[in-house]
Amino acid sequence: MTEDIASAFRFPYDFSTDPDRVTLADVRTHDIYLDALLDMVLGPIGVHDDNDRWLSLTVTAGGVTVSGRAIGPDTWAKKMESEVAKVHPGVAEGFTSLHENVSKLFDEMRRRREEENRPQTARRFLHMSDVTIFANTGAPLQLPLWRGQMCEVSSWTLGTLSFD
């Protein structure tokens, strides 16, 4: 039984010849449970999330606690465009264009890798909205959006924390 589970995490693939320079670290999930939960609620990585799905989540990342709503990358980008527009209206359009171009490149890569039966990359970032950050530097900080690397998430739980 243990060998069956272990074999599910091995990749019989030669990463040294990968045309996209994808490595084993790019393919392996950092937390299979968190990744699976995000896939189930928000949709799998590579599927555009033009919906309002979210998951109340609290994580520890980079030594701070981040609490809020986990959202998909497309939802995060739309909300970020709105936030940028409040400060720099002309820049917001450029941000949207950047996100669309990056998404297109990743979509093309995912499709090609699927057709060529190559391993797909794992979720690299966690996107959140309505965030409260708790650090040991004083009062909690409330932010509209947050984006952090999945590899930095050292612990997580469902639900949000409040500081009232």
Side-chain angles (χ1 to χ4, degrees), residues 67-145:
S67 190
R69 293 179 170 186
I71 56 177
D74 292 333
T75 302
W76 176 85
K78 287 176 192 168
K79 290 177 182 261
M80 181 58 82
E81 176 189 9
S82 177
E83 290 299 315
V84 171
K86 292 176 187 175
V87 183
H88 297 285
V91 175
E93 199 171 293
F95 182 84
T96 300
S97 179
L98 171 67
H99 176 71
E100 289 170 354
N101 289 331
V102 169
S103 291
K104 183 178 176 183
L105 289 172
F106 274 98
D107 289 348
E108 289 170 2
M109 184 178 87
R110 289 189 82 71
R111 255 191 305 282
R112 183 177 39 74
R113 293 186 73 77
E114 189 172 314
E115 289 169 3
E116 296 170 357
N117 200 27
R118 295 184 188 277
Q120 296 290 345
T121 57
R123 184 183 305 272
R124 292 183 53 212
F125 293 95
L126 175 61
H127 300 85
M128 297 180 76
S129 67
D130 306 314
V131 173
T132 304
I133 297 178
F134 299 87
N136 58 3
T137 58
L141 178 63
Q142 291 188 290
L143 299 171
L145 296 166

Side-chain angles (χ1 to χ4, degrees), residues 27-97:
V27 171
R28 281 210 170 134
T29 180
H30 296 283
D31 184 319
I32 194 166
Y33 295 104
L34 180 55
D35 254 359
L37 185 61
L38 292 170
D39 283 352
M40 287 184 263
V41 175
L42 304 177
I45 194 75
V47 174
H48 294 284
D49 58 292
D50 55 353
N51 57 52
D52 289 325
R53 293 184 198 171
W54 53 271
L55 174 69
S56 290
L57 190 67
T58 299
V59 301
T60 303
V64 299
T65 301
V66 181
S67 190
R69 293 179 170 186
I71 56 177
D74 292 333
T75 302
W76 176 85
K78 287 176 192 168
K79 290 177 182 261
M80 181 58 82
E81 176 189 9
S82 177
E83 290 299 315
V84 171
K86 292 176 187 175
V87 183
H88 297 285
V91 175
E93 199 171 293
F95 182 84
T96 300
S97 179

Side-chain angles (χ1 to χ4, degrees), residues 8-25:
F9 293 97
R10 291 190 196 118
F11 292 92
Y13 178 77
D14 183 4
F15 288 95
S16 67
T17 61
D18 190 276
D20 303 308
R21 296 188 176 138
V22 169
T23 67
L24 179 59

